[in-house]
Amino acid sequence: DIIMEKYHNNERVEDIAIELQCSRYMLYQKFNEWNISRRNKIKAKPRSNAIYTINYEYFKKIDTEHKAYWYGFLFSDGYVNERELSLCVKNTDIDIIQIFAEDIETDVPIKYDKYGNPFITIVCKELSKSLLDKGFHNRKSWSIDFDYIKSFVPDELFNHFIRGMFDGDGCLKYYSYPYLKKPQLHFGYTGVKNVCEFIKDFFDINRDLIFEGNVTY
């Protein structure tokens, strides 16, 4: 009766065995003898042994403006594999990484490469898996199923996804020359062919794609 009362109060078998000065294997033998069904084993939470905190479920569902933006930004300018994701920007854009870290609720430190550019690397299989399941992979510069990736973005959040893509791989330049009557603006995007074709169609831009080299346009 004492054993079963403690067991049904969710005390650990190891602790009951220590208190009764017997082995836990003896208790398991008694459970079998008494036809007592075992409790379901409590599975440890993901990252329960990790030093740094993180919202590892952040990208499970793209359902907010910020999630859609970071989804697009990581698609264009992030790195994701089976165990980690990383984001690197130029030194004048460190606020981008700071806001990203704040949004995914992580205290992983921001580091700097040899050129002084800030980057963050997050080792979290659960976070990576939620992106890999949506079509991300670490060779997206060569080929990507873009239609599959963008299918996870709701229509009402799609402009934020595009904004994230553009902040990653797009450019906007302002030209002002003394021989021109008014300044000129340059709007551009660099990526693989099918992604550039999508950008071209999305903004209804009447320009031919320019081949840059390897697989980029």
Side-chain angles (χ1 to χ4, degrees), residues 39-59:
R39 285 192 310 239
N40 290 329
K41 193 170 183 180
I42 300 175
K43 188 178 179 181
K45 289 184 178 181
R47 298 185 57 80
S48 59
N49 194 38
I51 296 175
Y52 302 111
T53 59
I54 189 171
N55 180 1
Y56 57 85
E57 295 184 325
Y58 187 80
F59 288 113

Tab-separated table of all heavy atoms in Angstrom, residues 39-59:
chain	number	residue	atom	x	y	z
A	39	ARG	N	3.537	3.602	-15.284
A	39	ARG	CA	3.260	4.965	-15.721
A	39	ARG	C	3.957	5.209	-17.044
A	39	ARG	O	5.004	4.633	-17.332
A	39	ARG	CB	3.817	5.983	-14.700
A	39	ARG	CG	3.036	6.111	-13.443
A	39	ARG	CD	3.501	7.326	-12.659
A	39	ARG	NE	4.933	7.395	-12.473
A	39	ARG	CZ	5.539	7.419	-11.282
A	39	ARG	NH1	4.826	7.369	-10.190
A	39	ARG	NH2	6.842	7.497	-11.197
A	40	ASN	N	3.369	6.088	-17.866
A	40	ASN	CA	4.057	6.510	-19.076
A	40	ASN	C	5.320	7.255	-18.680
A	40	ASN	O	5.290	8.112	-17.784
A	40	ASN	CB	3.167	7.414	-19.920
A	40	ASN	CG	2.010	6.650	-20.533
A	40	ASN	OD1	2.135	5.466	-20.835
A	40	ASN	ND2	0.881	7.320	-20.708
A	41	LYS	N	6.401	6.935	-19.338
A	41	LYS	CA	7.658	7.588	-19.032
A	41	LYS	C	7.593	9.048	-19.458
A	41	LYS	O	7.192	9.370	-20.571
A	41	LYS	CB	8.811	6.887	-19.759
A	41	LYS	CG	10.177	7.300	-19.247
A	41	LYS	CD	11.251	6.403	-19.817
A	41	LYS	CE	12.608	6.778	-19.243
A	41	LYS	NZ	13.684	5.916	-19.770
A	42	ILE	N	7.948	9.928	-18.559
A	42	ILE	CA	7.924	11.355	-18.859
A	42	ILE	C	9.139	11.709	-19.697
A	42	ILE	O	10.281	11.514	-19.284
A	42	ILE	CB	7.918	12.191	-17.559
A	42	ILE	CG1	6.682	11.846	-16.736
A	42	ILE	CG2	7.953	13.677	-17.875
A	42	ILE	CD1	6.637	12.527	-15.383
A	43	LYS	N	8.860	12.198	-20.887
A	43	LYS	CA	9.942	12.556	-21.799
A	43	LYS	C	10.473	13.938	-21.456
A	43	LYS	O	9.705	14.869	-21.215
A	43	LYS	CB	9.425	12.548	-23.238
A	43	LYS	CG	10.500	12.723	-24.280
A	43	LYS	CD	9.901	12.646	-25.669
A	43	LYS	CE	10.974	12.847	-26.734
A	43	LYS	NZ	10.405	12.794	-28.104
A	44	ALA	N	11.774	14.046	-21.409
A	44	ALA	CA	12.373	15.342	-21.098
A	44	ALA	C	12.028	16.347	-22.183
A	44	ALA	O	11.943	16.016	-23.357
A	44	ALA	CB	13.894	15.213	-20.978
A	45	LYS	N	11.813	17.581	-21.782
A	45	LYS	CA	11.527	18.627	-22.742
A	45	LYS	C	12.740	18.851	-23.637
A	45	LYS	O	13.876	18.721	-23.186
A	45	LYS	CB	11.180	19.926	-22.017
A	45	LYS	CG	9.834	19.900	-21.313
A	45	LYS	CD	9.538	21.262	-20.707
A	45	LYS	CE	8.170	21.259	-20.050
A	45	LYS	NZ	7.853	22.593	-19.464
A	46	PRO	N	12.499	19.193	-24.900
A	46	PRO	CA	13.634	19.525	-25.777
A	46	PRO	C	14.474	20.633	-25.162
A	46	PRO	O	13.945	21.552	-24.532
A	46	PRO	CB	12.951	19.999	-27.072
A	46	PRO	CG	11.608	19.349	-27.049
A	46	PRO	CD	11.218	19.285	-25.602
A	47	ARG	N	15.780	20.545	-25.329
A	47	ARG	CA	16.722	21.561	-24.830
A	47	ARG	C	16.728	21.675	-23.317
A	47	ARG	O	17.118	22.690	-22.753
A	47	ARG	CB	16.417	22.929	-25.449
A	47	ARG	CG	16.563	22.967	-26.942
A	47	ARG	CD	16.382	24.363	-27.492
A	47	ARG	NE	17.317	25.313	-26.905
A	47	ARG	CZ	18.578	25.443	-27.282
A	47	ARG	NH1	19.059	24.668	-28.219
A	47	ARG	NH2	19.362	26.340	-26.698
A	48	SER	N	16.270	20.620	-22.609
A	48	SER	CA	16.243	20.704	-21.150
A	48	SER	C	17.650	20.783	-20.563
A	48	SER	O	17.828	21.213	-19.428
A	48	SER	CB	15.511	19.480	-20.582
A	48	SER	OG	16.165	18.283	-20.981
A	49	ASN	N	18.657	20.374	-21.349
A	49	ASN	CA	20.032	20.413	-20.861
A	49	ASN	C	20.844	21.528	-21.514
A	49	ASN	O	22.058	21.588	-21.376
A	49	ASN	CB	20.713	19.054	-21.129
A	49	ASN	CG	22.003	18.900	-20.357
A	49	ASN	OD1	22.101	19.323	-19.212
A	49	ASN	ND2	23.004	18.306	-20.984
A	50	ALA	N	20.180	22.406	-22.246
A	50	ALA	CA	20.891	23.459	-22.969
A	50	ALA	C	21.235	24.631	-22.049
A	50	ALA	O	20.508	24.941	-21.107
A	50	ALA	CB	20.046	23.959	-24.135
A	51	ILE	N	22.342	25.269	-22.343
A	51	ILE	CA	22.772	26.425	-21.558
A	51	ILE	C	21.896	27.636	-21.866
A	51	ILE	O	21.485	28.378	-20.973
A	51	ILE	CB	24.247	26.760	-21.855
A	51	ILE	CG1	25.157	25.617	-21.403
A	51	ILE	CG2	24.662	28.059	-21.169
A	51	ILE	CD1	26.618	25.826	-21.773
A	52	TYR	N	21.593	27.841	-23.156
A	52	TYR	CA	20.865	29.036	-23.576
A	52	TYR	C	19.384	28.727	-23.797
A	52	TYR	O	19.014	27.623	-24.191
A	52	TYR	CB	21.471	29.605	-24.862
A	52	TYR	CG	22.933	29.955	-24.728
A	52	TYR	CD1	23.912	29.215	-25.398
A	52	TYR	CD2	23.345	31.005	-23.922
A	52	TYR	CE1	25.263	29.530	-25.274
A	52	TYR	CE2	24.687	31.327	-23.793
A	52	TYR	CZ	25.633	30.590	-24.468
A	52	TYR	OH	26.963	30.903	-24.331
A	53	THR	N	18.558	29.717	-23.549
A	53	THR	CA	17.124	29.563	-23.771
A	53	THR	C	16.769	29.938	-25.210
A	53	THR	O	17.493	30.687	-25.868
A	53	THR	CB	16.326	30.464	-22.823
A	53	THR	OG1	16.706	31.834	-23.040
A	53	THR	CG2	16.608	30.104	-21.375
A	54	ILE	N	15.644	29.428	-25.685
A	54	ILE	CA	15.178	29.744	-27.037
A	54	ILE	C	13.742	29.246	-27.180
A	54	ILE	O	13.350	28.249	-26.564
A	54	ILE	CB	16.074	29.089	-28.112
A	54	ILE	CG1	15.708	29.616	-29.483
A	54	ILE	CG2	15.988	27.591	-28.076
A	54	ILE	CD1	16.677	29.203	-30.566
A	55	ASN	N	12.965	29.930	-27.969
A	55	ASN	CA	11.629	29.457	-28.327
A	55	ASN	C	11.777	28.543	-29.538
A	55	ASN	O	11.719	28.989	-30.679
A	55	ASN	CB	10.709	30.636	-28.625
A	55	ASN	CG	9.301	30.198	-29.009
A	55	ASN	OD1	9.003	29.005	-29.037
A	55	ASN	ND2	8.448	31.153	-29.321
A	56	TYR	N	11.979	27.256	-29.284
A	56	TYR	CA	12.284	26.321	-30.366
A	56	TYR	C	11.062	26.023	-31.242
A	56	TYR	O	11.182	25.392	-32.282
A	56	TYR	CB	12.867	25.008	-29.822
A	56	TYR	CG	11.991	24.289	-28.824
A	56	TYR	CD1	11.000	23.425	-29.244
A	56	TYR	CD2	12.160	24.467	-27.453
A	56	TYR	CE1	10.197	22.758	-28.346
A	56	TYR	CE2	11.366	23.816	-26.538
A	56	TYR	CZ	10.381	22.963	-26.989
A	56	TYR	OH	9.579	22.320	-26.088
A	57	GLU	N	9.880	26.482	-30.839
A	57	GLU	CA	8.676	26.269	-31.637
A	57	GLU	C	8.336	27.493	-32.490
A	57	GLU	O	7.272	27.553	-33.098
A	57	GLU	CB	7.498	25.934	-30.721
A	57	GLU	CG	7.662	24.613	-29.968
A	57	GLU	CD	6.437	24.277	-29.142
A	57	GLU	OE1	5.808	25.225	-28.615
A	57	GLU	OE2	6.110	23.079	-29.041
A	58	TYR	N	9.241	28.472	-32.531
A	58	TYR	CA	8.938	29.757	-33.172
A	58	TYR	C	8.469	29.596	-34.622
A	58	TYR	O	7.506	30.237	-35.046
A	58	TYR	CB	10.182	30.649	-33.119
A	58	TYR	CG	9.936	32.062	-33.593
A	58	TYR	CD1	9.341	33.008	-32.765
A	58	TYR	CD2	10.292	32.463	-34.883
A	58	TYR	CE1	9.099	34.301	-33.195
A	58	TYR	CE2	10.065	33.762	-35.327
A	58	TYR	CZ	9.470	34.670	-34.474
A	58	TYR	OH	9.239	35.948	-34.909
A	59	PHE	N	9.140	28.742	-35.400
A	59	PHE	CA	8.817	28.615	-36.825
A	59	PHE	C	7.890	27.442	-37.133
A	59	PHE	O	7.721	27.085	-38.300
A	59	PHE	CB	10.090	28.485	-37.650
A	59	PHE	CG	10.877	29.764	-37.760
A	59	PHE	CD1	12.131	29.866	-37.164
A	59	PHE	CD2	10.365	30.854	-38.434
A	59	PHE	CE1	12.862	31.042	-37.250
A	59	PHE	CE2	11.084	32.034	-38.529
A	59	PHE	CZ	12.334	32.134	-37.940
